[in-house]
Amino acid sequence: MAPSSTEIRGLFQGFPGELTDSAPAFVKSGTPGSFLQFGGLEEAFADDVKLEIPGLGITIQGAETLKSAKPHPDIPDLADVIQFDQPGEASVSQVIGGGSDEWSVAILKSKAATRTGLPWNHETVVLMHFNSDNKVDSLKLYVDTKHIQDHLQALKA
């Protein structure tokens, strides 16, 4: 049995949230690390959690790798993309499932200013599986691949 949808929403509340004064400490420090940010959900990762981003061909295995500053060579540092001195927002707009269902879906939305000047207005759908210990053992992120690829190309320019 998975946590309830309300509990799952609560786990995501640390997901960068308001990107200005109330930003998490890692953002305020100027070293936010990996572009993959899951807030408090990271505390619910099983040691062998597997993350897949099918549209980008990315697979990452293991909680420690996912929590690291550089979990995958194709994923940039968050501070390389987002301007944290500008207003932005991130929110969980919907959580479906959880409770008696071992699967849950969360819809994450974010808006921010970027270092390249391209607008960041993004939505991600996260499919999560919870094991018998209520730990996340599988994550699939469905992202707007064109949006992400445009930002990655702009960073290289």
Side-chain angles (χ1 to χ4, degrees), residues 42-123:
E42 291 178 351
E43 300 311 312
F45 285 169
D47 290 342
D48 62 347
V49 64
K50 179 180 179 181
L51 174 129
E52 296 175 77
I53 308 174
L56 299 175
I58 291 174
T59 300
I60 303 170
Q61 186 76 43
E64 290 307 311
T65 302
L66 264 177
K67 294 176 187 179
S68 72
K70 195 70 174 165
H72 193 277
D74 293 338
I75 298 174
D77 290 345
L78 189 59
D80 288 346
V81 179
I82 303 298
Q83 285 187 312
F84 289 106
D85 58 347
Q86 301 295 315
E89 59 187 65
S91 62
V92 181
S93 63
Q94 185 72 37
V95 176
I96 302 163
S100 62
D101 191 348
E102 61 195 36
W103 290 94
S104 182
V105 175
I107 301 171
L108 312 177
K109 293 184 177 187
S110 56
K111 292 182 181 185
T114 65
R115 298 200 177 281
T116 63
L118 292 173
W120 182 268
N121 187 2
H122 193 74
E123 188 170 76

Side-chain angles (χ1 to χ4, degrees), residues 2-56:
S4 71
S5 61
T6 301
E7 291 169 320
I8 293 168
R9 180 183 293 275
L11 288 171
F12 273 111
Q13 292 309 310
F15 156 75
E18 197 56 36
L19 297 178
T20 54
D21 292 341
S22 61
F26 73 86
V27 171
K28 289 180 181 176
S29 73
T31 57
S34 168
F35 203 76
L36 292 174
Q37 299 293 329
F38 297 100
L41 186 68
E42 291 178 351
E43 300 311 312
F45 285 169
D47 290 342
D48 62 347
V49 64
K50 179 180 179 181
L51 174 129
E52 296 175 77
I53 308 174
L56 299 175

Side-chain angles (χ1 to χ4, degrees), residues 104-152:
S104 182
V105 175
I107 301 171
L108 312 177
K109 293 184 177 187
S110 56
K111 292 182 181 185
T114 65
R115 298 200 177 281
T116 63
L118 292 173
W120 182 268
N121 187 2
H122 193 74
E123 188 170 76
T124 301
V125 176
V126 182
L127 176 63
M128 297 165 276
H129 180 263
F130 289 85
N131 65 19
S132 59
D133 295 324
N134 284 342
K135 296 288 188 178
V136 177
D137 61 5
S138 175
L139 288 163
K140 285 191 180 181
L141 275 59
Y142 295 95
V143 300
D144 179 343
T145 52
K146 172 134 177 47
H147 180 81
I148 297 292
Q149 288 172 341
D150 287 351
H151 281 281
L152 294 176

